[in-house]
Amino acid sequence: MNSLFLEIAVVLLGIVLLLVEAFSDRSNKDYLAYLGAVGLTGVLALSFFPQIGPLPASSEAAFITSDILSVFFVRFLLVATIVTLLMIPGYRTVLERYLPSERAGGGVGEFAILPLFVCAGLMWMVSSIDFIMIFVSLELATITLYVLVTYLRQNTASLEAGTKFLILGALSTGFIVYGISWIFGVTGTTNILALPAAISTLPESSLYALLFGIAMILVALSFKTGAFPFQFWIPDVYQGAPTPITSYLSVASKAAGFVVLIRFLLSLEAIPALANKLNAVITLLAALTLIFGNFAAIPQTNMKRLLGYSSVAHAGYLLMGIASLASLMAIPAIGFYFAGYLAMTMLAFVVLQAVSEATGGDEISRFNGLSKRSPFLAGAMLLSAASLAGIPFTAGFIGKLLIFEVALKQGHYGLVMLGCVTVAAGFYYYFKVIRAMYWQQPSEETVIPVSATTKWLILLLGAGILILGIYPAPLLAALR
């Protein structure tokens, strides 16, 4: 068996669940989300068995690689999808409200199954070393995400988000196809690993055409990663999409985009004529993304929009790591940052979903007095916000520390200073939520109910934040 086994297993799991849903007359579809989560947990366990897991990095596969980066992020995507599936039962009442159907529970089951196909597409994407494979994987994931973002067909915010996501996603697809065409036209290859050898034989007159193709690819990947100035779709799409899908977009989709960006830039780093230019561009992107993401988050009053701009800010810190790829510790630092980002961001969305369900809105004011209505949810959001801000003994603190360290070693002193300033800005907007929970009075005193699944999810994600913040060595060792 080869590395495609895991992705094929996820696709087969999705097809089986679709058949189960089609022949089941149960109105409550929560069991499909649980079955999907159990199935993905099995696939995650299989990824640790060498005989059926990914092949070594020396594999001669033309389209897929199995290096440490792909192995780590395949597992990362499986965990992110499992968390998303476990959030869906808590979102069922919203789905039923906006999905009128002739039969009870109609349309709800597919909502719990479609993320599996997104997961398979993103898993292929992080393992791809050929532009054709990247494009096909990207389309599998993105087209399914279009459906999921606009799933609440009687909610105008969801429809608006889906329309924007579709139009801007199609635009970024156009950029990536155009860029691939130019690069193939100049070098004669679509394989990322073969690019350095192909470029080394090119005449100097081809350099501008090559740079144009590279620029088109960078624009497309900036859309996917939420880098400035291509982040403008994020606030509206995050606010309008169903909450489990928003959390999935902010973590899994962003991670896959960053992995493709890392592979692309690593292949071009061996060419001095391109490396310096690309490093300057990425450094500028990182600085602008840090400034925009952090300062645009300050005036936000809607929690989803705040987390949307927060994700732009975190893309800036990750781009600091990308600008320092020449450091051996850059990829472990980026991988660790993503692991912490998964735990703290998804924890924030799990709490947001529970609060929104109880209060009927996503505004920060809905968190007023949460510590009195649910100390458990308030404590979980406190931990998430502290980690997102970068408080010591949390995953967010270690992640930022590692990124700053590799940036300093590569001489990006200006970026690190800017990063320190934007961290201070982050303290302000994250602590607006904490102030609402602990210093504001609640509009009502009723206790917010928390389901058993949500409790366990919060406990596991919270434990992940603290473990990574106190004992990061095992994960860093696995990434080296």
Side-chain angles (χ1 to χ4, degrees):
M1 295 183 183
N2 58 35
S3 61
L4 293 174
F5 171 77
L6 299 176
E7 289 86 345
I8 291 171
V10 174
V11 172
L12 288 176
L13 176 63
I15 292 171
V16 169
L17 290 182
L18 279 175
L19 291 173
V20 170
E21 198 281 336
F23 290 102
S24 170
D25 55 359
R26 293 174 61 177
S27 60
N28 188 331
K29 305 292 184 181
D30 289 353
Y31 71 97
L32 290 169
Y34 292 124
L35 284 176
V38 170
L40 288 186
T41 304
V43 176
L44 179 63
L46 288 176
S47 74
F48 288 91
F49 286 86
Q51 64 271 30
I52 55 175
L55 292 172
S58 59
S59 168
E60 295 180 0
F63 297 101
I64 298 287
T65 186
S66 304
D67 54 12
I68 290 176
L69 196 64
S70 68
V71 171
F72 173 78
F73 276 98
V74 161
R75 291 169 182 162
F76 175 94
L77 292 167
L78 286 168
V79 173
T81 312
I82 290 168
V83 174
T84 303
L85 291 179
L86 293 177
M87 287 176 68
I88 288 175
Y91 199 70
R92 177 163 48 86
T93 54
V94 180
L95 288 169
E96 289 174 344
R97 191 184 314 149
Y98 291 107
L99 290 175
S101 172
E102 292 182 356
R103 60 188 176 93
V108 176
E110 290 84 350
F111 187 77
I113 299 170
L114 287 176
L116 296 173
F117 298 103
V118 183
C119 179
L122 295 178
M123 287 166 70
W124 268 311
M125 196 171 155
V126 299
S127 302
S128 300
I129 53 171
D130 191 281
F131 280 125
I132 304 299
M133 188 70 186
I134 288 171
F135 176 72
V136 173
S137 312
L138 180 66
E139 288 308 291
L140 170 61
T142 308
I143 291 173
T144 315
L145 281 171
Y146 294 152
V147 177
L148 287 169
V149 168
T150 194
Y151 207 80
L152 306 177
R153 59 178 179 270
Q154 289 201 341
N155 183 320
T156 52
S158 180
L159 293 176
E160 181 186 350
T163 306
K164 284 186 178 177
F165 194 42
L166 173 64
I167 293 171
L168 296 173
L171 186 64
S172 73
T173 299
F175 276 115
I176 199 167
V177 171
Y178 200 45
I180 292 170
S181 305
W182 275 78
I183 290 176
F184 178 73
V186 174
T187 63
T189 181
T190 55
N191 189 291
I192 293 177
L193 301 185
L195 278 180
I199 293 172
S200 65
T201 62
L202 292 177
E204 193 173 337
S205 57
S206 301
L207 185 62
Y208 291 107
L210 179 66
L211 284 173
F212 182 76
I214 292 171
M216 292 296 101
I217 299 282
L218 288 180
V219 168
L221 292 177
S222 295
F223 270 110
K224 300 301 177 192
T225 56
F228 182 86
F230 307 104
Q231 83 304 325
F232 44 82
W233 60 275
I234 286 180
D236 293 335
V237 173
Y238 276 33
Q239 186 176 1
T243 303
I245 303 307
T246 307
S247 72
Y248 197 60
L249 274 174
S250 68
V251 174
S253 177
K254 184 187 289 286
F258 266 102
V259 173
V260 174
L261 182 61
I262 289 171
R263 287 199 194 289
F264 185 49
L265 293 177
L266 280 178
S267 74
L268 300 176
E269 258 203 351
I271 306 159
L274 295 176
N276 292 335
K277 292 182 177 66
L278 289 174
N279 194 265
V281 170
I282 298 298
T283 303
L284 180 64
L285 274 180
L288 295 175
T289 306
L290 278 174
I291 293 169
F292 182 84
N294 280 289
F295 289 99
I298 290 176
Q300 301 305 317
T301 57
N302 180 282
M303 191 62 186
K304 274 188 168 180
R305 292 184 78 86
L306 187 147
L307 290 173
Y309 282 110
S310 160
S311 83
V312 176
H314 286 283
Y317 297 114
L318 288 161
L319 283 170
M320 284 177 66
I322 300 284
S324 311
L325 277 179
S327 167
L328 290 176
M329 275 302 293
I331 290 180
I334 293 168
F336 185 91
Y337 197 100
F338 262 115
Y341 183 69
L342 183 154
M344 55 197 183
T345 301
M346 290 199 134
L347 178 57
F349 278 107
V350 170
V351 176
L352 170 63
Q353 180 173 290
V355 173
S356 297
E357 178 65 18
T359 62
D362 300 325
E363 302 299 319
I364 294 175
S365 58
R366 306 282 179 170
F367 284 77
N368 286 354
L370 182 63
S371 61
K372 295 175 182 172
R373 300 185 65 186
S374 175
F376 179 71
L377 288 177
M381 182 57 87
L382 173 65
L383 178 61
S384 171
S387 186
L388 285 164
I391 298 290
F393 305 113
T394 63
F397 172 76
I398 301 293
K400 285 188 175 68
L401 194 65
L402 291 169
I403 292 288
F404 287 180
E405 183 183 359
V406 295
L408 278 175
K409 285 181 178 174
Q410 292 303 305
H412 295 301
Y413 303 114
L415 265 185
V416 174
M417 288 178 64
L418 182 60
C420 293
V421 172
T422 53
V423 165
F427 273 84
Y428 177 79
Y429 60 78
Y430 289 126
F431 278 74
K432 280 200 306 185
V433 186
I434 296 173
R435 184 181 61 191
M437 293 189 300
Y438 288 94
W439 279 274
Q440 302 294 330
Q441 291 301 314
S443 56
E444 54 182 299
E445 300 287 344
T446 54
V447 174
I448 294 179
V450 183
S451 68
T453 303
T454 302
K455 278 181 185 172
W456 278 109
L457 208 49
I458 287 173
L459 289 174
L460 290 173
L461 291 170
I465 291 172
L466 292 174
I467 291 170
L468 291 177
I470 296 168
Y471 189 48
L475 182 58
L476 285 172
L479 282 162
R480 287 190 178 120

